[in-house]
Amino acid sequence: MKKKRIATTSLAGCFGCHMSLLDLDERIIELLKFVEIDRSPLTDKKSFTQRCDIGLIEGGCGNEDNVHVLQEFRRNCDVLVAVGQCAIMGGLPVMRNAIMHSEDPLRECLEEAYNSGDKIYNPGNEIPNDPALPLLLNKVYTCVDVVKIDYQIPGCPPTADVFWRALNGLIHGDFAELDYALIKYD
């Protein structure tokens, strides 16, 4: 069997899904018999070296860089998988969508985070505005709001056992519904 090429990325999220992937422990050695990892924070490859069979996306889209990366994954991966609640439903980052009520909701969110929130110490009342920072979006979007997603692996984060089962299904062409008992939200 030819090895499948896998790419992974982390968008607006906590990197917990990648940590669960690493929790495969010695099963990673077994997995590497069937896959090659291309672009991924796990390999520190920041661009695609060639087309990939499977793309794993952790996190939603909170800034323009997240959208660009997600669109790039869609163009370069045959199968795109939203991994974890941030990618599927927005997770914690999407909470900013519900607290913004003004005509300029992004400004309201930034004011709360950097100036008016409890326990904030910012004597200059400055909001980060460096050109090197990606432009924040008006709200956080799930992956399916931006591109076509082929599969979802739920959980927060998905456990190593869920990853193991899902990846084996994707690699061998028989992605099956995951047992409800395996899905955790810690």
Side-chain angles (χ1 to χ4, degrees), residues 114-155:
Y114 290 100
N115 292 329
S116 61
D118 291 345
K119 300 176 182 68
I120 299 295
Y121 178 73
N122 182 359
N125 288 329
E126 294 182 31
I127 295 174
N129 190 22
D130 190 297
L133 295 174
L135 181 65
L136 290 175
L137 300 175
N138 63 333
K139 67 179 197 170
V140 175
Y141 295 88
T142 66
C143 290
V144 75
D145 289 332
V146 178
V147 298
K148 178 183 179 285
I149 296 294
D150 301 301
Y151 296 102
Q152 298 177 353
I153 302 175

Side-chain angles (χ1 to χ4, degrees), residues 21-50:
L21 182 58
L22 291 174
D23 282 344
L24 287 173
D25 298 328
E26 68 276 356
R27 291 182 287 186
I28 290 176
I29 296 167
E30 183 66 24
L31 184 65
L32 290 175
K33 293 177 183 175
F34 300 100
V35 302
E36 292 179 43
I37 299 175
D38 197 86
R39 177 187 173 157
S40 174
L42 302 175
T43 60
D44 203 27
K45 291 181 185 174
K46 297 186 178 23
S47 59
F48 287 93
T49 61
Q50 59 184 304

